[in-house]
Amino acid sequence: MTIMPPDLSIFESLESEVRSYCRGWPAVFDRAHGTHLVDEDGHRYLDFFAGAGSLNYGHNNPVLKRALLDYLERDGVTHGLDMATTAKRTFLEAFQRLVLRPRDLPYKVMFPGPTGTNAVESALKLARKVKGREAVVSFTNAFHGMSLGSLAVTGNAFKRAGAGIPLVHGTPMPFDNYFDGTVPDFLWFERLLEDQGSGLDKPAAVIVETVQGEGGINVARPEWLRALKELCERQDMLLIVDDIQMGCGRTGAFFSFEEAGITPDIVTVSKSISGYGLPMALTLFRPELDVWEPGEHNGTFRGNNPAFVTATAALHMYWSDDQMEKHTRARGEQVEQALLALCDENGAGGARCRGRGLVWGLEFSRAERAAEVCRRAFDLGLLLETSGTRSEVVKLLPPLTVSADETDEGLRTLARAVRDTV
């Protein structure tokens, strides 16, 4: 039977050349449920990308969908700016009771706008306002967003080049294990801070991902994160943790920094905070940092009330006990064992794996092979993407609700794709 290619003409003729994911997945998707997407021709794809981490609870999660439909059917407020609404109050109460208080986190909650880069921009602005300084330190291979402030603390040269203007007031430092363990942690950073002739202006803050998703699934050790927090305290710098992709349970705990036992000054959250793929973002910070004037940072769509509804449902469903965290860790161990076995095969070409919870990367010494594996996986019905500065890493980011059988299916498909691309 001959499979006809999908009609992509309207996308190719009218949509901008900037589109990217659709180039690796040449299908027109029509429906989605749980861990699967279905195209117009009825072909099913197992989704190990989950909306770049925006769908931690799967596509059209029935509990979240029911809450959303009930809210819309009773004509609940859909657009609310920063007005007080029932949906916002219910979310804040649930977030405080189920997330902040159990972790003894004293944070104020800010709704900066609906996307991750909005949260990062507000975090950078707040840190500079509090400290009265302009410089912010970030890390090699970091990714924090596509608006100008976020790009200034992003490492990827290709993405930075898209700004079209100089990106200033950001200084990169080596991420954990950047020198393969040959240089003591923060030696260069601390030397620059203490040397009046280094040329490094006193930073207002340091921004870091505990696991660099776009940078290639680079995992920071807990002891490295603790040392970074101590350095920030000694040098009067704020610590910002960007938890946009790794938060909401992706690494196991609700926040990815919990394992390290640190309390950042500012935390950015987005992607899966709504639970349903609806745009929503939070900027969390210690109460004494709340020096904003009313309206000093705002946005038309920061009051996405349907997102508040699904976010609340997700918190009640998945974070009222520790079952989601246990499930994520169990599936993560399943992924780790399969990837280690795959790396040991002769045809793996020296591949290496790394990750935490349910975010894993498979790195190939020949960078192009990662894209080849993803293309073959698509042909076999599995959605995967690459990451890393050379797109040398196959990135596994399945929904946290993935079953053991679905995980096994995806891992077997990945293994076949690897073997088929030797």
Side-chain angles (χ1 to χ4, degrees):
M1 182 179 67
T2 302
I3 298 177
M4 297 297 292
D7 181 6
L8 302 173
S9 58
I10 187 64
F11 308 105
E12 294 169 349
S13 65
L14 190 60
E15 193 178 357
S16 166
E17 293 299 316
V18 78
R19 65 194 189 281
S20 60
Y21 295 122
C22 57
R23 298 179 187 273
W25 302 330
V28 181
F29 297 104
D30 181 52
R31 292 176 291 115
H33 181 76
T35 56
H36 288 86
L37 281 154
V38 183
D39 70 16
E40 288 182 323
D41 297 319
H43 301 123
R44 288 169 60 83
Y45 298 86
L46 185 60
D47 185 2
F48 268 34
F49 189 58
S54 297
L55 296 164
N56 280 4
Y57 314 112
H59 295 271
N60 284 306
N61 182 291
V63 174
L64 279 58
K65 179 168 64 175
R66 185 71 263 160
L68 178 60
L69 290 174
D70 288 347
Y71 182 77
L72 295 176
E73 286 172 353
R74 72 170 184 81
D75 289 337
V77 174
T78 57
H79 183 272
L81 294 167
D82 69 354
M83 296 184 294
T85 65
T86 302
K88 183 197 285 189
R89 178 176 60 198
T90 306
F91 166 74
L92 286 170
E93 290 172 345
F95 191 69
Q96 183 180 57
R97 180 171 60 86
L98 298 174
V99 176
L100 297 181
R101 280 181 181 162
R103 293 160 180 82
D104 197 26
L105 296 172
Y107 296 138
K108 297 289 289 291
V109 178
M110 174 182 176
F111 300 102
T115 71
T117 200
N118 291 139
V120 170
E121 293 284 358
S122 66
L124 298 177
K125 286 171 65 174
L126 180 61
R128 288 169 171 141
K129 180 178 175 66
V130 168
K131 292 299 182 184
R133 309 176 204 137
E134 297 177 353
V136 172
V137 165
S138 57
F139 290 95
T140 50
N141 295 312
F143 177 78
H144 295 291
M146 298 298 285
S147 49
L148 292 180
S150 301
L151 277 176
V153 290
T154 287
N156 188 288
F158 173 74
K159 291 181 172 63
R160 289 175 62 88
I165 62 171
L167 297 171
V168 297
H169 309 307
T171 303
M173 290 292 165
F175 190 71
D176 191 14
N177 204 38
Y178 187 75
F179 294 110
D180 299 318
T182 61
V183 177
D185 295 338
F186 308 115
L187 174 66
W188 175 240
F189 192 2
E190 226 164 344
R191 185 76 56 85
L192 291 179
L193 288 169
E194 294 171 358
D195 183 358
Q196 295 300 307
S198 70
L200 175 65
D201 293 331
K202 182 77 170 182
V206 175
I207 185 168
V208 67
E209 304 156 275
T210 66
V211 181
Q212 295 182 326
E214 297 301 310
I217 318 302
N218 305 312
V219 182
R221 294 166 296 141
E223 56 267 32
W224 186 85
L225 292 168
R226 286 192 289 269
L228 176 61
K229 174 61 175 171
E230 292 166 3
L231 174 61
C232 288
E233 290 174 350
R234 289 198 310 273
Q235 296 288 346
D236 187 33
M237 303 179 296
L238 298 179
L239 177 62
I240 305 169
V241 168
D242 181 340
D243 231 10
I244 288 165
Q245 188 168 84
M246 298 304 154
C248 301
R250 176 55 57 181
T251 64
F254 188 89
F255 294 110
S256 70
F257 56 80
E258 291 182 52
E259 181 184 3
I262 63 172
T263 301
D265 300 296
I266 304 175
V267 182
T268 59
V269 181
S270 187
K271 288 193 182 287
S272 273
I273 187 61
S274 81
Y276 203 73
L278 298 175
M280 180 177 171
L282 309 175
T283 306
L284 313 174
F285 40 82
R286 292 189 287 106
E288 60 268 30
L289 304 181
D290 194 7
V291 296
W292 293 114
E293 295 291 334
E296 191 173 8
H297 186 94
N298 57 23
T300 303
F301 296 101
R302 65 194 183 280
N304 189 352
N305 282 257
F308 296 155
V309 171
T310 54
T312 302
L315 293 178
H316 284 296
M317 181 68 186
Y318 296 107
W319 297 102
S320 59
D321 57 32
D322 62 357
Q323 293 307 300
M324 172 55 73
E325 182 172 349
K326 289 180 177 178
H327 177 85
T328 299
R329 295 190 188 281
R331 296 289 72 76
E333 291 172 5
Q334 183 180 356
V335 172
E336 181 179 17
Q337 293 306 310
L339 292 184
L340 287 172
L342 183 58
C343 290
D344 285 340
E345 292 186 10
N346 290 332
R352 300 183 298 168
C353 67
R354 54 184 175 266
R356 273 181 62 196
L358 269 176
V359 52
W360 285 86
L362 186 63
E363 180 181 5
F364 293 93
S365 54
R366 181 172 67 84
E368 296 80 5
R369 191 173 176 191
E372 294 168 5
V373 168
C374 289
R375 283 193 294 270
R376 180 57 180 150
F378 173 80
D379 294 338
L380 296 171
L382 176 66
L383 300 183
L384 293 168
E385 253 295 343
T386 61
S387 70
T389 54
R390 297 179 298 130
S391 297
E392 74 279 14
V393 178
V394 173
K395 182 179 185 180
L396 284 74
L397 208 69
L400 305 186
T401 51
V402 66
S403 69
D405 288 344
E406 290 168 333
T407 304
D408 184 61
E409 177 190 349
L411 291 169
R412 284 188 282 106
T413 304
L414 169 62
R416 180 178 171 186
V418 171
R419 295 175 191 128
D420 288 351
T421 55
V422 174

